[in-house]
Amino acid sequence: MAEKKNAPDVREQLFYEQKNGYDLIDTTERLAVEAYGEDYKAFLDEAKTEREAVREAVRQAEGRGFKPFTPGMELKAGDRVYCVNRGKSLLLAVIGSRSLAEGATVAAAHIDSPRLDLKQVPLYEDTELAYFKTHYYGGIKKYQWVTIPLELHGVVALKNGEVVEVVIGKDPEDPCFVINDLLPHLAKDQMQKKPDELIPGERLNLLIGSQPYADEGKERVKLAVMSILNDRYGITEEDFLSAELEVVPGFQARDVGLDRSMIGGYGHDDRVCAYAELRAIMDVEDPQTTAVCILADKEEIGSMGTSGMRSAAFDTFMADLCAAEGVELRRCLERSLCVSADVCVAFDPNFPEVSEKRNSARMNYGLGIAKYTGSRGKGDSNDADAETVAKMRRFFAERNVVWQMTELGKVDQGGGGTVALYMADRNISTIDAGVPVLSMHAPWEVVGKLDCWMTYKGVKAAYELN
Ligand code: MN
Ligand code: MN
Protein backbone atom coordinates (compact mmCIF):
# COMPACT_ATOMS: atom_id res chain seq x y z
CA MET A 1 0.00 0.00 0.00
CA ALA A 2 1.32 3.45 -0.92
CA GLU A 3 2.15 5.82 1.87
CA LYS A 4 -0.81 8.07 2.58
CA LYS A 5 -0.06 11.64 1.59
CA ASN A 6 -1.25 14.31 4.00
CA ALA A 7 -2.46 16.99 1.66
CA PRO A 8 -6.27 17.09 1.55
CA ASP A 9 -6.06 17.84 -2.16
CA VAL A 10 -4.08 14.74 -3.01
CA ARG A 11 -6.37 13.93 -5.90
CA GLU A 12 -5.95 17.38 -7.32
CA GLN A 13 -2.19 16.92 -7.15
CA LEU A 14 -2.02 13.52 -8.73
CA PHE A 15 -4.92 13.26 -11.12
CA TYR A 16 -5.34 14.89 -14.52
CA GLU A 17 -8.77 16.38 -14.75
CA GLN A 18 -10.31 18.38 -17.56
CA LYS A 19 -12.47 21.36 -16.79
CA ASN A 20 -15.07 23.16 -18.85
CA GLY A 21 -13.42 26.25 -20.30
CA TYR A 22 -16.19 28.51 -19.04
CA ASP A 23 -15.15 27.62 -15.49
CA LEU A 24 -11.63 28.75 -16.26
CA ILE A 25 -12.12 32.19 -17.76
CA ASP A 26 -13.19 35.47 -16.19
CA THR A 27 -15.75 37.98 -17.43
CA THR A 28 -13.19 40.00 -19.35
CA GLU A 29 -12.10 36.95 -21.30
CA ARG A 30 -15.70 35.92 -21.83
CA LEU A 31 -16.26 39.24 -23.59
CA ALA A 32 -13.15 38.64 -25.69
CA VAL A 33 -14.57 35.25 -26.69
CA GLU A 34 -17.78 36.98 -27.82
CA ALA A 35 -16.00 39.70 -29.78
CA TYR A 36 -13.74 37.18 -31.46
CA GLY A 37 -16.79 35.14 -32.48
CA GLU A 38 -18.31 38.19 -34.17
CA ASP A 39 -15.11 38.82 -36.14
CA TYR A 40 -14.86 35.19 -37.13
CA LYS A 41 -18.44 35.05 -38.41
CA ALA A 42 -17.75 38.09 -40.59
CA PHE A 43 -14.62 36.40 -41.98
CA LEU A 44 -16.49 33.19 -42.70
CA ASP A 45 -19.20 35.01 -44.63
CA GLU A 46 -16.53 36.62 -46.82
CA ALA A 47 -14.61 33.39 -47.36
CA LYS A 48 -16.79 30.69 -48.89
CA THR A 49 -14.04 29.48 -51.23
CA GLU A 50 -10.27 29.21 -50.96
CA ARG A 51 -9.85 32.15 -53.34
CA GLU A 52 -12.21 34.30 -51.28
CA ALA A 53 -10.41 33.29 -48.08
CA VAL A 54 -7.09 34.36 -49.58
CA ARG A 55 -8.50 37.67 -50.71
CA GLU A 56 -10.14 38.47 -47.38
CA ALA A 57 -7.01 37.41 -45.45
CA VAL A 58 -4.83 39.64 -47.66
CA ARG A 59 -7.22 42.54 -47.17
CA GLN A 60 -7.02 42.18 -43.41
CA ALA A 61 -3.25 41.57 -43.38
CA GLU A 62 -2.55 44.63 -45.53
CA GLY A 63 -4.58 46.65 -43.06
CA ARG A 64 -2.18 45.42 -40.39
CA GLY A 65 1.00 46.37 -42.22
CA PHE A 66 1.78 43.25 -44.25
CA LYS A 67 3.45 43.94 -47.61
CA PRO A 68 3.79 41.72 -50.69
CA PHE A 69 6.98 39.69 -50.56
CA THR A 70 9.34 39.65 -53.51
CA PRO A 71 12.33 37.30 -53.62
CA GLY A 72 15.54 39.16 -52.91
CA MET A 73 13.90 41.95 -50.92
CA GLU A 74 15.73 43.08 -47.82
CA LEU A 75 14.15 41.94 -44.58
CA LYS A 76 14.68 43.02 -41.00
CA ALA A 77 13.20 42.02 -37.67
CA GLY A 78 9.59 43.10 -37.36
CA ASP A 79 8.94 43.16 -41.13
CA ARG A 80 5.57 41.75 -42.14
CA VAL A 81 5.27 40.14 -45.56
CA TYR A 82 2.91 37.91 -47.51
CA CYS A 83 2.91 35.93 -50.71
CA VAL A 84 -0.16 34.73 -52.63
CA ASN A 85 0.21 31.45 -54.48
CA ARG A 86 -2.03 31.37 -57.59
CA GLY A 87 -4.82 33.12 -55.75
CA LYS A 88 -5.59 29.94 -53.77
CA SER A 89 -3.11 29.74 -50.95
CA LEU A 90 -1.38 32.32 -48.84
CA LEU A 91 1.90 32.56 -46.94
CA LEU A 92 2.53 35.25 -44.36
CA ALA A 93 5.57 35.95 -42.21
CA VAL A 94 6.64 38.28 -39.44
CA ILE A 95 10.42 38.38 -39.31
CA GLY A 96 11.85 37.56 -35.89
CA SER A 97 14.85 39.02 -34.09
CA ARG A 98 16.59 35.61 -34.03
CA SER A 99 18.23 34.12 -37.07
CA LEU A 100 16.23 31.67 -39.16
CA ALA A 101 19.11 29.28 -38.53
CA GLU A 102 17.39 28.78 -35.17
CA GLY A 103 14.16 27.82 -36.87
CA ALA A 104 10.78 29.41 -37.52
CA THR A 105 7.40 28.99 -35.86
CA VAL A 106 5.01 27.85 -38.53
CA ALA A 107 1.23 27.55 -38.33
CA ALA A 108 -0.51 25.72 -41.16
CA ALA A 109 -4.24 25.51 -41.84
CA HIS A 110 -6.33 24.90 -44.93
CA ILE A 111 -8.92 27.11 -46.54
CA ASP A 112 -10.60 24.67 -48.92
CA SER A 113 -13.78 22.97 -47.70
CA PRO A 114 -16.00 20.17 -49.00
CA ARG A 115 -18.29 21.43 -51.76
CA LEU A 116 -19.64 20.67 -55.22
CA ASP A 117 -17.59 21.80 -58.20
CA LEU A 118 -19.23 22.42 -61.57
CA LYS A 119 -18.06 19.98 -64.22
CA GLN A 120 -16.26 21.50 -67.21
CA VAL A 121 -19.26 20.90 -69.51
CA PRO A 122 -21.91 21.57 -66.89
CA LEU A 123 -24.91 23.13 -68.58
CA TYR A 124 -27.86 21.12 -69.89
CA GLU A 125 -31.60 21.18 -70.25
CA ASP A 126 -33.92 18.29 -69.43
CA THR A 127 -37.71 18.46 -69.75
CA GLU A 128 -37.52 22.23 -70.00
CA LEU A 129 -35.56 22.68 -66.78
CA ALA A 130 -31.94 23.86 -66.86
CA TYR A 131 -29.21 22.32 -64.71
CA PHE A 132 -25.50 22.38 -63.95
CA LYS A 133 -23.71 19.04 -63.57
CA THR A 134 -21.45 18.89 -60.50
CA HIS A 135 -18.59 16.77 -59.20
CA TYR A 136 -18.26 16.79 -55.45
CA TYR A 137 -15.00 17.84 -53.81
CA GLY A 138 -13.82 16.26 -50.56
CA GLY A 139 -15.60 13.84 -48.27
CA ILE A 140 -19.30 14.59 -48.20
CA LYS A 141 -22.48 12.77 -47.28
CA LYS A 142 -24.22 13.44 -50.59
CA TYR A 143 -27.72 13.33 -49.12
CA GLN A 144 -26.91 16.41 -47.03
CA TRP A 145 -26.54 18.60 -50.12
CA VAL A 146 -30.09 18.29 -51.46
CA THR A 147 -32.97 20.67 -50.69
CA ILE A 148 -30.80 23.39 -49.18
CA PRO A 149 -30.13 26.83 -50.70
CA LEU A 150 -26.87 26.85 -52.64
CA GLU A 151 -24.69 29.60 -54.06
CA LEU A 152 -22.22 29.69 -56.93
CA HIS A 153 -18.77 31.19 -56.32
CA GLY A 154 -15.65 31.05 -58.44
CA VAL A 155 -13.89 32.21 -61.55
CA VAL A 156 -14.13 31.81 -65.29
CA ALA A 157 -10.77 32.18 -67.02
CA LEU A 158 -11.27 33.43 -70.57
CA LYS A 159 -9.16 32.48 -73.58
CA ASN A 160 -7.76 36.00 -73.70
CA GLY A 161 -6.30 35.62 -70.20
CA GLU A 162 -8.92 37.68 -68.44
CA VAL A 163 -10.40 36.13 -65.28
CA VAL A 164 -14.05 36.82 -64.53
CA GLU A 165 -15.23 36.44 -60.97
CA VAL A 166 -18.63 34.89 -60.42
CA VAL A 167 -20.61 35.24 -57.19
CA ILE A 168 -24.30 34.39 -57.30
CA GLY A 169 -26.34 34.02 -54.14
CA LYS A 170 -24.27 35.97 -51.63
CA ASP A 171 -26.20 39.22 -52.04
CA PRO A 172 -29.61 38.84 -50.33
CA GLU A 173 -31.14 40.23 -53.54
CA ASP A 174 -29.55 37.41 -55.57
CA PRO A 175 -31.35 34.19 -56.45
CA CYS A 176 -29.94 30.92 -55.14
CA PHE A 177 -29.91 27.36 -56.46
CA VAL A 178 -30.98 23.94 -55.24
CA ILE A 179 -30.56 20.22 -55.80
CA ASN A 180 -33.86 18.42 -55.58
CA ASP A 181 -34.76 15.24 -53.76
CA LEU A 182 -37.59 12.78 -54.17
CA LEU A 183 -40.82 13.29 -52.23
CA PRO A 184 -41.34 10.70 -49.44
CA HIS A 185 -44.62 9.60 -51.07
CA LEU A 186 -42.70 8.11 -54.00
CA ALA A 187 -39.47 7.21 -52.20
CA LYS A 188 -40.31 3.59 -51.38
CA ASP A 189 -37.45 2.24 -53.50
CA GLN A 190 -35.04 5.07 -52.68
CA MET A 191 -35.42 4.51 -48.95
CA GLN A 192 -34.36 0.88 -49.32
CA LYS A 193 -30.94 2.00 -50.56
CA LYS A 194 -27.79 2.47 -48.56
CA PRO A 195 -27.35 6.11 -47.49
CA ASP A 196 -24.40 6.54 -49.85
CA GLU A 197 -26.59 5.47 -52.78
CA LEU A 198 -29.62 7.60 -51.85
CA ILE A 199 -28.31 10.43 -53.98
CA PRO A 200 -25.80 9.14 -56.55
CA GLY A 201 -23.05 11.58 -57.51
CA GLU A 202 -24.50 12.02 -60.99
CA ARG A 203 -27.78 13.16 -59.47
CA LEU A 204 -26.20 16.14 -57.71
CA ASN A 205 -27.51 18.35 -60.48
CA LEU A 206 -28.08 21.98 -59.68
CA LEU A 207 -31.42 23.46 -60.76
CA ILE A 208 -30.70 26.85 -62.34
CA GLY A 209 -33.70 27.84 -64.46
CA SER A 210 -37.09 27.03 -65.90
CA GLN A 211 -38.18 29.92 -68.09
CA PRO A 212 -37.86 29.40 -71.86
CA TYR A 213 -36.14 31.87 -74.17
CA ALA A 214 -38.68 33.85 -76.20
CA ASP A 215 -38.14 32.15 -79.55
CA GLU A 216 -39.13 28.88 -81.19
CA GLY A 217 -35.77 27.12 -81.35
CA LYS A 218 -34.50 24.17 -79.30
CA GLU A 219 -33.17 24.13 -75.72
CA ARG A 220 -34.94 27.35 -74.92
CA VAL A 221 -34.45 27.18 -71.13
CA LYS A 222 -30.74 26.46 -71.51
CA LEU A 223 -30.50 29.38 -73.92
CA ALA A 224 -32.33 31.64 -71.49
CA VAL A 225 -29.95 30.92 -68.58
CA MET A 226 -26.90 31.15 -70.84
CA SER A 227 -28.17 34.48 -72.05
CA ILE A 228 -28.49 35.74 -68.45
CA LEU A 229 -24.94 34.57 -67.69
CA ASN A 230 -23.73 36.27 -70.85
CA ASP A 231 -25.40 39.54 -69.87
CA ARG A 232 -24.01 39.40 -66.34
CA TYR A 233 -20.52 38.01 -66.96
CA GLY A 234 -19.88 38.20 -70.71
CA ILE A 235 -19.25 34.44 -70.89
CA THR A 236 -20.37 31.77 -73.36
CA GLU A 237 -20.91 28.05 -72.78
CA GLU A 238 -17.42 27.26 -74.06
CA ASP A 239 -15.90 29.35 -71.27
CA PHE A 240 -16.98 26.80 -68.64
CA LEU A 241 -14.15 24.64 -70.02
CA SER A 242 -11.68 26.86 -68.15
CA ALA A 243 -13.78 27.75 -65.14
CA GLU A 244 -13.54 26.90 -61.45
CA LEU A 245 -17.05 27.34 -60.15
CA GLU A 246 -17.91 26.03 -56.71
CA VAL A 247 -21.38 25.31 -55.40
CA VAL A 248 -21.43 26.20 -51.71
CA PRO A 249 -24.19 26.32 -49.08
CA GLY A 250 -26.24 29.51 -49.07
CA PHE A 251 -26.08 29.90 -45.29
CA GLN A 252 -24.62 32.79 -43.36
CA ALA A 253 -22.70 32.09 -40.17
CA ARG A 254 -25.05 32.45 -37.19
CA ASP A 255 -25.06 32.01 -33.45
CA VAL A 256 -26.41 28.66 -32.30
CA GLY A 257 -28.11 28.05 -28.96
CA LEU A 258 -30.18 30.18 -26.61
CA ASP A 259 -26.95 31.16 -24.91
CA ARG A 260 -25.32 32.01 -28.27
CA SER A 261 -22.31 29.97 -27.21
CA MET A 262 -21.84 28.25 -30.57
CA ILE A 263 -21.50 29.24 -34.22
CA GLY A 264 -23.12 27.42 -37.11
CA GLY A 265 -21.57 27.98 -40.51
CA TYR A 266 -20.28 26.51 -43.73
CA GLY A 267 -16.59 25.64 -43.87
CA HIS A 268 -15.47 25.82 -40.23
CA ASP A 269 -13.20 23.00 -41.45
CA ASP A 270 -10.79 24.57 -41.68
CA ARG A 271 -11.41 28.28 -41.95
CA VAL A 272 -11.95 28.42 -38.19
CA CYS A 273 -8.28 27.48 -37.70
CA ALA A 274 -7.17 29.54 -40.70
CA TYR A 275 -8.78 32.58 -39.12
CA ALA A 276 -7.17 31.82 -35.75
CA GLU A 277 -3.76 31.67 -37.40
CA LEU A 278 -4.37 34.80 -39.39
CA ARG A 279 -5.46 36.73 -36.29
CA ALA A 280 -2.49 35.38 -34.35
CA ILE A 281 0.10 36.37 -36.93
CA MET A 282 -1.51 39.79 -37.37
CA ASP A 283 -1.44 40.34 -33.60
CA VAL A 284 2.07 39.07 -32.96
CA GLU A 285 4.55 41.88 -32.45
CA ASP A 286 8.31 41.71 -32.62
CA PRO A 287 8.59 37.94 -32.21
CA GLN A 288 11.98 36.44 -31.43
CA THR A 289 11.43 33.51 -33.75
CA THR A 290 10.19 34.28 -37.25
CA ALA A 291 6.44 33.59 -37.41
CA VAL A 292 5.07 31.98 -40.57
CA CYS A 293 1.44 31.30 -41.42
CA ILE A 294 0.25 29.17 -44.32
CA LEU A 295 -3.31 29.00 -45.51
CA ALA A 296 -3.24 26.06 -47.89
CA ASP A 297 -5.64 24.69 -50.49
CA LYS A 298 -6.53 21.11 -51.50
CA GLU A 299 -6.36 19.52 -48.03
CA GLU A 300 -9.76 17.94 -48.49
CA ILE A 301 -8.52 15.91 -51.45
CA GLY A 302 -5.02 15.09 -50.23
CA SER A 303 -3.01 18.32 -50.17
CA MET A 304 -1.58 17.74 -53.62
CA GLY A 305 -1.14 20.21 -56.45
CA THR A 306 0.54 23.58 -56.70
CA SER A 307 -1.64 25.16 -54.03
CA GLY A 308 -1.70 22.20 -51.61
CA MET A 309 0.57 21.70 -48.62
CA ARG A 310 2.72 19.21 -50.51
CA SER A 311 3.59 21.92 -53.03
CA ALA A 312 7.11 23.30 -53.17
CA ALA A 313 5.54 26.76 -52.88
CA PHE A 314 6.06 26.59 -49.11
CA ASP A 315 9.69 25.52 -49.41
CA THR A 316 10.32 28.23 -52.00
CA PHE A 317 8.90 30.89 -49.69
CA MET A 318 10.92 29.62 -46.73
CA ALA A 319 14.06 29.33 -48.88
CA ASP A 320 13.60 32.93 -49.99
CA LEU A 321 13.25 34.09 -46.37
CA CYS A 322 16.35 32.08 -45.44
CA ALA A 323 18.30 33.42 -48.41
CA ALA A 324 17.66 36.96 -47.18
CA GLU A 325 19.68 35.98 -44.09
CA GLY A 326 22.17 33.69 -45.82
CA VAL A 327 20.75 30.67 -43.96
CA GLU A 328 20.40 27.22 -45.47
CA LEU A 329 16.75 26.12 -45.69
CA ARG A 330 17.34 22.65 -44.23
CA ARG A 331 19.07 24.17 -41.20
CA CYS A 332 16.03 26.34 -40.61
CA LEU A 333 13.46 23.59 -41.08
CA GLU A 334 15.13 21.08 -38.78
CA ARG A 335 14.83 23.54 -35.91
CA SER A 336 11.35 24.81 -36.75
CA LEU A 337 8.07 24.09 -34.98
CA CYS A 338 4.80 23.68 -36.87
CA VAL A 339 1.36 23.93 -35.37
CA SER A 340 -0.79 22.15 -37.93
CA ALA A 341 -4.09 23.79 -37.15
CA ASP A 342 -7.02 21.75 -38.37
CA VAL A 343 -10.37 20.99 -36.82
CA CYS A 344 -10.93 17.90 -34.69
CA VAL A 345 -14.06 15.99 -33.77
CA ALA A 346 -16.19 17.23 -30.91
CA PHE A 347 -17.74 14.45 -28.84
CA ASP A 348 -21.39 14.20 -29.86
CA PRO A 349 -23.73 12.71 -27.20
CA ASN A 350 -26.04 11.68 -30.04
CA PHE A 351 -23.33 9.43 -31.48
CA PRO A 352 -21.33 8.30 -28.45
CA GLU A 353 -20.61 4.91 -30.00
CA VAL A 354 -17.93 6.19 -32.40
CA SER A 355 -15.80 7.93 -29.79
CA GLU A 356 -13.77 6.85 -26.81
CA LYS A 357 -14.79 9.37 -24.21
CA ARG A 358 -11.51 9.67 -22.31
CA ASN A 359 -9.65 10.69 -25.44
CA SER A 360 -12.28 12.75 -27.22
CA ALA A 361 -12.41 16.50 -27.56
CA ARG A 362 -15.40 18.15 -25.96
CA MET A 363 -17.00 21.39 -26.93
CA ASN A 364 -15.93 24.28 -24.66
CA TYR A 365 -12.95 22.38 -23.35
CA GLY A 366 -10.65 24.44 -25.52
CA LEU A 367 -8.11 23.91 -28.25
CA GLY A 368 -7.84 20.23 -29.19
CA ILE A 369 -4.33 18.82 -29.47
CA ALA A 370 -3.89 15.54 -31.32
CA LYS A 371 -0.51 13.92 -30.74
CA TYR A 372 -1.36 11.75 -33.70
CA THR A 373 -4.18 11.40 -36.22
CA GLY A 374 -4.39 8.76 -38.94
CA SER A 375 -6.42 5.57 -38.98
CA ARG A 376 -6.00 1.91 -37.99
CA GLY A 377 -2.47 1.58 -36.55
CA LYS A 378 -1.93 5.35 -36.85
CA GLY A 379 -1.51 4.96 -40.62
CA ASP A 380 -0.91 8.24 -42.48
CA SER A 381 -0.38 10.11 -39.25
CA ASN A 382 2.02 12.67 -38.02
CA ASP A 383 2.87 11.40 -34.56
CA ALA A 384 4.32 14.35 -32.69
CA ASP A 385 7.23 13.51 -30.42
CA ALA A 386 6.62 13.70 -26.70
CA GLU A 387 9.08 16.59 -26.36
CA THR A 388 7.07 18.71 -28.77
CA VAL A 389 3.86 17.95 -26.87
CA ALA A 390 5.61 18.94 -23.65
CA LYS A 391 6.75 22.20 -25.22
CA MET A 392 3.17 23.01 -26.20
CA ARG A 393 1.97 22.19 -22.66
CA ARG A 394 4.52 24.72 -21.39
CA PHE A 395 3.39 27.43 -23.84
CA PHE A 396 -0.28 26.86 -23.07
CA ALA A 397 0.25 26.90 -19.32
CA GLU A 398 2.17 30.15 -19.54
CA ARG A 399 -0.59 31.85 -21.53
CA ASN A 400 -3.64 30.27 -19.85
CA VAL A 401 -4.73 28.55 -23.02
CA VAL A 402 -7.57 26.14 -22.27
CA TRP A 403 -6.76 22.99 -24.22
CA GLN A 404 -7.47 19.29 -24.32
CA MET A 405 -5.88 16.16 -25.73
CA THR A 406 -7.90 14.38 -28.39
CA GLU A 407 -7.94 11.72 -31.04
CA LEU A 408 -10.26 11.07 -33.96
CA GLY A 409 -12.82 8.54 -32.77
CA LYS A 410 -12.46 4.99 -31.56
CA VAL A 411 -9.37 3.09 -32.65
CA ASP A 412 -11.14 0.81 -35.12
CA GLN A 413 -13.81 3.30 -36.17
CA GLY A 414 -12.11 5.09 -39.04
CA GLY A 415 -9.85 8.08 -38.97
CA GLY A 416 -8.48 10.94 -40.96
CA GLY A 417 -5.50 13.17 -41.45
CA THR A 418 -4.42 16.74 -41.87
CA VAL A 419 -1.50 18.56 -43.45
CA ALA A 420 0.65 17.73 -40.42
CA LEU A 421 2.47 14.79 -41.99
CA TYR A 422 3.55 16.88 -44.98
CA MET A 423 5.12 19.42 -42.63
CA ALA A 424 6.77 16.67 -40.59
CA ASP A 425 8.12 15.14 -43.82
CA ARG A 426 10.04 18.39 -44.25
CA ASN A 427 11.83 17.65 -40.99
CA ILE A 428 9.78 20.17 -39.01
CA SER A 429 8.59 19.15 -35.52
CA THR A 430 4.86 19.24 -36.03
CA ILE A 431 1.79 18.96 -33.85
CA ASP A 432 -1.90 18.82 -34.72
CA ALA A 433 -4.11 21.38 -33.01
CA GLY A 434 -7.58 22.66 -33.73
CA VAL A 435 -11.15 23.50 -32.92
CA PRO A 436 -13.58 20.66 -32.06
CA VAL A 437 -16.43 20.54 -34.59
CA LEU A 438 -19.91 18.98 -34.55
CA SER A 439 -21.30 17.73 -37.89
CA MET A 440 -17.91 18.05 -39.56
CA HIS A 441 -18.07 18.20 -43.39
CA ALA A 442 -21.82 18.87 -43.33
CA PRO A 443 -23.04 21.94 -45.23
CA TRP A 444 -23.48 23.64 -41.88
CA GLU A 445 -21.05 22.73 -39.12
CA VAL A 446 -21.06 23.81 -35.47
CA VAL A 447 -18.20 25.03 -33.27
CA GLY A 448 -17.99 26.49 -29.76
CA LYS A 449 -16.95 30.13 -29.50
CA LEU A 450 -14.65 29.47 -26.56
CA ASP A 451 -12.73 26.86 -28.53
CA CYS A 452 -12.30 29.24 -31.49
CA TRP A 453 -10.80 31.84 -29.16
CA MET A 454 -8.53 29.33 -27.44
CA THR A 455 -7.19 28.21 -30.81
CA TYR A 456 -6.23 31.79 -31.58
CA LYS A 457 -4.61 32.09 -28.15
CA GLY A 458 -2.78 28.80 -28.61
CA VAL A 459 -1.28 29.72 -31.97
CA LYS A 460 -0.32 33.15 -30.67
CA ALA A 461 1.36 31.55 -27.66
CA ALA A 462 3.43 29.38 -29.99
CA TYR A 463 4.41 32.39 -32.11
CA GLU A 464 5.44 34.44 -29.11
CA LEU A 465 7.02 31.85 -26.86
CA ASN A 466 8.80 29.49 -29.25
MN1 MN B 1 -9.56 19.96 -42.11
MN1 MN C 1 -11.95 18.18 -43.69
Side-chain angles (χ1 to χ4, degrees):
M1 188 181 281
E3 194 186 331
K4 192 172 164 189
K5 297 195 161 72
N6 282 329
D9 53 353
V10 60
R11 281 178 185 77
E12 204 170 296
Q13 275 178 30
L14 299 184
F15 286 174
Y16 167 60
E17 203 197 343
Q18 299 271 79
K19 289 205 175 84
N20 190 305
Y22 280 103
D23 292 329
L24 298 169
I25 61 170
D26 59 19
T27 312
T28 315
E29 189 159 13
R30 201 178 284 224
L31 293 173
V33 167
E34 276 305 314
Y36 182 87
E38 292 304 305
D39 294 343
Y40 169 56
K41 283 186 288 180
F43 174 81
L44 202 56
D45 287 340
E46 289 303 316
K48 287 198 165 175
T49 67
E50 63 285 2
R51 289 176 192 264
E52 291 176 359
V54 165
R55 198 174 38 204
E56 176 60 14
V58 166
R59 189 191 68 78
Q60 294 197 18
E62 282 185 337
R64 299 287 300 274
F66 284 76
K67 303 259 183 299
F69 174 76
T70 45
M73 79 192 275
E74 223 171 282
L75 294 171
K76 56 177 190 321
D79 281 355
R80 299 151 87 84
V81 293
Y82 72 87
C83 176
V84 174
N85 175 17
R86 294 169 172 86
K88 299 199 229 182
S89 72
L90 175 66
L91 297 131
L92 306 112
V94 178
I95 307 303
S97 52
R98 277 196 212 127
S99 163
L100 274 167
E102 294 182 55
T105 312
V106 181
H110 68 93
I111 47 177
D112 60 317
S113 297
R115 60 176 190 255
L116 311 175
D117 287 336
L118 289 203
K119 294 194 187 198
Q120 298 323 122
V121 184
L123 179 61
Y124 71 98
E125 172 176 336
D126 191 341
T127 326
E128 290 174 278
L129 296 172
Y131 293 94
F132 278 143
K133 295 292 296 177
T134 69
H135 192 139
Y136 63 92
Y137 172 98
I140 63 164
K141 289 175 163 178
K142 286 169 284 190
Y143 66 79
Q144 293 178 334
W145 291 73
V146 297
T147 66
I148 58 170
L150 296 164
E151 301 176 2
L152 193 65
H153 293 231
V155 297
V156 181
L158 305 179
K159 240 185 325 196
N160 66 11
E162 194 191 329
V163 176
V164 180
E165 198 190 348
V166 172
V167 181
I168 306 172
K170 184 184 175 201
D171 187 325
E173 299 296 308
D174 272 351
C176 64
F177 309 102
V178 70
I179 294 167
N180 294 104
D181 194 6
L182 198 53
L183 65 170
H185 318 61
L186 298 178
K188 188 165 116 337
D189 294 341
Q190 185 195 34
M191 297 311 282
Q192 301 306 314
K193 293 181 177 162
K194 290 192 205 134
D196 193 43
E197 293 157 7
L198 282 177
I199 307 290
E202 292 298 349
R203 237 172 243 171
L204 289 171
N205 300 320
L206 194 69
L207 181 60
I208 56 167
S210 70
Q211 201 175 77
Y213 195 79
D215 74 356
E216 282 166 12
K218 61 183 176 89
E219 298 189 299
R220 296 194 301 152
V221 180
K222 174 177 165 177
L223 181 59
V225 297
M226 199 59 241
S227 150
I228 293 167
L229 287 168
N230 184 260
D231 288 345
R232 189 158 165 173
Y233 298 107
I235 58 172
T236 67
E237 188 183 6
E238 190 186 336
D239 293 322
F240 288 121
L241 295 173
S242 49
E244 283 180 352
L245 294 168
E246 305 178 8
V247 179
V248 297
F251 305 131
Q252 299 292 93
R254 291 176 68 176
D255 286 348
V256 172
L258 289 168
D259 55 9
R260 298 181 171 270
S261 60
M262 298 164 280
I263 299 173
Y266 162 62
H268 287 316
D269 177 8
D270 183 33
R271 292 171 197 138
V272 69
C273 297
Y275 183 68
E277 281 186 9
L278 176 69
R279 275 284 290 258
I281 200 162
M282 291 194 305
D283 288 351
V284 75
E285 273 178 24
D286 306 320
Q288 292 194 300
T289 308
T290 294
V292 177
C293 167
I294 315 140
L295 307 183
D297 181 27
K298 294 287 182 278
E299 192 276 346
E300 296 296 355
I301 58 169
S303 294
M304 59 282 287
T306 48
S307 53
M309 202 60 251
R310 290 151 93 166
S311 163
F314 169 72
D315 310 86
T316 303
F317 181 70
M318 291 303 295
D320 285 339
L321 294 185
C322 285
E325 294 183 20
V327 170
E328 253 188 289
L329 175 65
R330 61 199 177 107
R331 291 281 94 84
C332 169
L333 296 185
E334 72 184 359
R335 300 192 65 183
S336 291
L337 168 71
C338 175
V339 177
S340 173
D342 200 348
V343 295
C344 58
V345 182
F347 181 82
D348 187 338
N350 281 314
F351 300 96
E353 65 279 8
V354 301
S355 294
E356 188 266 290
K357 227 172 172 175
R358 283 180 191 80
N359 287 279
S360 294
R362 291 174 60 176
M363 183 169 284
N364 295 335
Y365 277 64
L367 167 60
I369 294 290
K371 184 178 181 298
Y372 48 83
T373 55
S375 46
R376 303 173 311 279
K378 301 191 183 180
D380 294 322
S381 166
N382 163 59
D383 196 345
D385 49 77
E387 291 83 348
T388 301
V389 181
K391 187 193 257 190
M392 301 309 291
R393 286 175 60 195
R394 204 156 59 233
F395 294 164
F396 295 159
E398 194 173 327
R399 289 295 171 87
N400 293 318
V401 177
V402 178
W403 72 283
Q404 53 188 329
M405 187 56 85
T406 179
E407 71 173 320
L408 186 58
K410 276 185 178 166
V411 174
D412 290 331
Q413 192 65 43
T418 65
V419 300
L421 74 163
Y422 307 116
M423 304 311 285
D425 283 350
R426 294 175 160 108
N427 200 20
I428 302 173
S429 294
T430 302
I431 187 148
D432 271 289
V435 177
V437 177
L438 289 170
S439 308
M440 194 193 294
H441 281 206
W444 215 58
E445 307 167 311
V446 175
V447 293
K449 288 181 181 176
L450 181 135
D451 304 326
C452 301
W453 165 253
M454 289 301 166
T455 301
Y456 156 75
K457 269 180 74 172
V459 176
K460 189 157 177 276
Y463 279 148
E464 291 178 347
L465 301 175
N466 184 38

